[in-house]
Amino acid sequence: MNKTVLITGATSGIGLGCARKFAANGDRLILTGRNEQRLAEISKELTEQGTQVLTLAFDVRDREKAKKYVEGLPAEWQTIDVLVNNAGLALGLEPEYEGSLDDWETMIDTNIKGLLTMTRLVVPGMVARNSGHIINIGSVAGDAAYAGGNVYCATKAAVKALTDGLRIDVADTAIRVTNLKPGLVETNFSNIRFKGDEERAKKLYTGIKPLTGDDIADVAVYAANAPEHVQIAEVLILATHQANGSVIVRK
């Protein structure tokens, strides 16, 4: 049965990979992101392939806009079967005592508060229908801190705790909750972290074949289509030569 899938941060990286993979699975998509033009381009691409797409241009940090758009969905789009909380970012690699307060606030507001906002807006409908699936994009960074990761690692540890907590809260329903924890994925993640320093971002992937957004999306689609009695609670996905958040063997 085809699903209605809402994906935040769908304009690039893992979010875009999820959009394309769920589309290939025959699902219809509600795609959110900050870049309205990019959303329109992706919508055109997927619509031409036969996918039903609705785009919503807003920042998950903006609680009022998120509420307005989600609560204002057309009636035929209001039954959301899968919520992919993907929107997130990292900024900086400074020691904690030298970090930017503004960068910290942006990460906390996006990675934690934005995820909570979307969860609060979408999950009550799932509970009322006794059906649904929440897939949160966490990170290997949530398992243990690494040098310079401090606040970003803390936000992804929060994603793990919030995912686990939600799974407990809905255990008496048929709703499933999944935490996907990617390792080194080659997206624009590092360009954002290093604020456009492409050379520095490129070095992160030197000597190792990193994961792609599509690799993570494959796991998301698998989890969403597992038999109803199967809940894929948590998956750690690493590149072959990555052992954890800080051990990477480059050849």
Side-chain angles (χ1 to χ4, degrees):
M1 181 178 173
N2 294 346
K3 299 179 176 71
T4 298
V5 183
L6 191 159
I7 304 166
T8 67
T11 56
S12 64
I14 294 171
L16 178 55
C18 284
R20 288 172 172 158
K21 293 288 185 176
F22 276 105
N25 190 58
D27 300 314
R28 64 180 194 157
L29 308 175
I30 302 172
L31 305 179
T32 87
R34 293 175 295 172
N35 188 328
E36 191 167 1
Q37 181 181 342
R38 187 71 185 115
L39 282 172
E41 292 168 355
I42 296 163
S43 176
K44 182 174 184 292
E45 171 198 331
L46 297 177
T47 300
E48 287 175 351
Q49 296 170 12
T51 302
Q52 286 183 274
V53 181
L54 178 68
T55 60
L56 305 174
F58 67 89
D59 190 326
V60 295
R61 292 179 297 170
D62 190 331
R63 185 185 305 168
E64 291 308 312
K65 274 194 178 178
K67 187 173 187 288
K68 172 187 169 185
Y69 279 115
V70 174
E71 292 185 349
L73 284 169
E76 65 272 21
W77 286 93
Q78 287 180 5
T79 299
I80 297 167
D81 301 297
V82 180
L83 168 63
V84 181
N85 275 318
N86 166 73
L89 76 168
L91 293 170
L93 264 179
E94 297 82 10
E96 195 168 318
Y97 58 87
E98 293 179 351
S100 161
L101 290 167
D102 288 339
D103 286 352
W104 293 352
E105 187 170 26
T106 298
M107 285 187 281
I108 291 167
D109 286 352
T110 306
N111 301 358
I112 301 175
K113 291 183 181 179
L115 178 146
L116 281 170
T117 295
M118 295 305 296
T119 299
R120 183 65 181 83
L121 289 170
V122 174
V123 175
M126 294 180 174
V127 172
R129 295 186 300 274
N130 193 35
S131 175
H133 195 155
I134 303 92
I135 300 175
N136 291 334
I137 306 301
S139 172
V140 63
D143 287 347
Y146 55 75
N150 43 75
V151 174
Y152 173 68
C153 293
T155 66
K156 289 304 183 177
V159 170
K160 173 176 170 51
L162 292 170
T163 307
D164 290 346
L166 180 60
R167 193 180 304 110
I168 293 166
D169 292 338
V170 299
D172 62 337
T173 74
I175 297 168
R176 301 183 293 186
V177 186
T178 299
N179 183 20
L180 299 186
K181 305 189 300 184
L184 194 65
V185 184
E186 187 166 15
T187 65
N188 65 349
F189 174 90
S190 294
N191 296 70
I192 293 170
R193 167 169 254 174
F194 300 131
K195 301 179 180 177
D197 187 339
E198 292 188 12
E199 194 60 36
R200 189 178 178 191
K202 190 177 177 181
K203 284 180 181 177
L204 190 65
Y205 309 109
T206 301
I208 186 171
K209 185 172 182 178
L211 302 167
T212 68
D214 284 351
D215 294 328
I216 310 308
D218 281 335
V219 183
V221 172
Y222 172 80
N225 288 279
E228 289 184 4
H229 69 288
V230 177
Q231 180 171 213
I232 309 297
E234 187 171 287
V235 183
L236 175 64
I237 311 133
L238 302 174
T240 298
H241 295 292
Q242 179 176 15
N244 56 33
S246 57
V247 177
I248 299 171
V249 177
R250 304 177 189 275
K251 297 182 181 286

